[in-house]
Amino acid sequence: MAPKRKGKKGKGKGTPVVDGLAPEDMSKEQVEEHVCRIREELDREREERNYFQLERDKIHTFWEITRRQLEEKKAELRNKDREMEEAEERHQVEIKVYKQKVKHLLYEHQNNLTEMKAEGTVVMKLAQKEHCAQEDMLRKDMRALKVELKEQELANEVVVKNLRLRHTEEITKMRSDFERQVREIEAKYDKKMKMLRDELDLRRKTEIHEVEERKNGQINMLMQRHEEAFTDIKNYYNDITLNNLALINSLKEQMEDMRKKEEHLEKEMAEVSVQNKRLADPLQKARDEMNEMQKKLGNYERDKQILVCTKARLKVTEKELKGLQWEHEVLEQRFMKVQQERDELYRKFTAAILEVQQKVGFKNLLLERKLQALNAAVEKKEVQFNEVLASSNLDPAALSLVSRKLEDVLESKNSAIKDLQYELARVCKAHNDLLRTYEAKLLAFGIPLDNVGFKPLETAVVGQTLGQGPAGLVGTPT
């Protein structure tokens, strides 16, 4: 657009040249054809304006869809938080219930002991020796069981420590492998991006140089044609003016001569009557020449009027050209406004993405801390419960029944925790899929990821590896 505008301004400084012809040399059909071309350019500008408006509507629609998806993800996160709180409340209630059950069992056990003591006082004198022997045997068995239980606990602790060390080593190894792969991929694509950017810069510079050369050539050619036409017209009218002045001067001289001759003839009328008859023919010729000069003077006035009309038409054409240039500037301002709106939409969208990432990362951190606190509380409760059982000296059958019930409760709680971990991994995967969709849409609209202004952060779950499938296909944690 810019070279055309410069070319038109260059034409407006002197006599315009359209298709190699001056305006006064153009016919009515040629002028109408030039006006049609200008109208076609105006229609093309209007079509481009409509196209830019459609592009703006597409970008606005994409932003609305993304905003709705963001609100849905926020609602899902709120639901998951509420479910976690309800599960924690239920867990606290069940812990209180089992504490009450343990108290009842201890109370019943105390009652049984008092009854057995009452019965033992009656039979104690009869079977004191046997009872003492049995007590010794039971004490030995209890010591052996305690020693065996302690050994099993130490062995289990060693096994757990080994498993944790092995697990941390595997995680460290996998993390280092993934970081190395990420660095390699980033280096590879950075190199590709640099090569592509250099190639595009070279191509753009070449095209700009070619366009500048064509523009300069057209401007020089138009200026040369304009100078030639202006020189021809100037020479033509200078020749006409000089010829007319020369004819007027010659006519004045001839009139002066004729006046002198008439005076001379009046004085010598009588003497040169014969010569007067001979001079009648030259006088008639001079009069004919004078009439011809007057006709040429009339043609000169008519040419002058034609030049004035041509200048008036040129002013009208220049006025129309200024109107078209003004409309073009208005369209450019609208286009700049649309670009500013698009940039504002990109800024708001990136700000919303950053806010969602911060909230999701904060929620993930809170959930992980709550999970660690719950695991520590469960381990503490297990230790306290084992101490209570060890100090209460319960019946082995009752002890096995309580242990089995406690294991069932712990298994149900572990399954609930695994389900919550699965939901957390699914939400993180949905967040990562949303980021990938956003990047794909940007690439589809021809917007490089470097122009976004930030680098999207993918959410990761500790202890799990998210796959590349849809959000509903996240593997269940083990």
Side-chain angles (χ1 to χ4, degrees), residues 138-155:
L138 288 172
R139 286 175 181 173
K140 290 179 181 179
D141 292 336
M142 285 293 291
R143 291 193 189 95
L145 288 173
K146 286 182 179 180
V147 172
E148 186 178 356
L149 182 61
K150 192 67 176 178
E151 291 177 353
Q152 288 180 357
E153 288 179 354
L154 293 173

Side-chain angles (χ1 to χ4, degrees), residues 88-104:
E88 186 175 359
E89 289 177 359
R90 288 197 299 270
H91 180 63
Q92 294 294 333
V93 171
E94 289 177 357
I95 288 173
K96 290 180 181 178
V97 171
Y98 281 104
K99 283 182 179 179
Q100 290 178 359
K101 287 182 179 180
V102 170
K103 287 180 181 179
H104 288 301

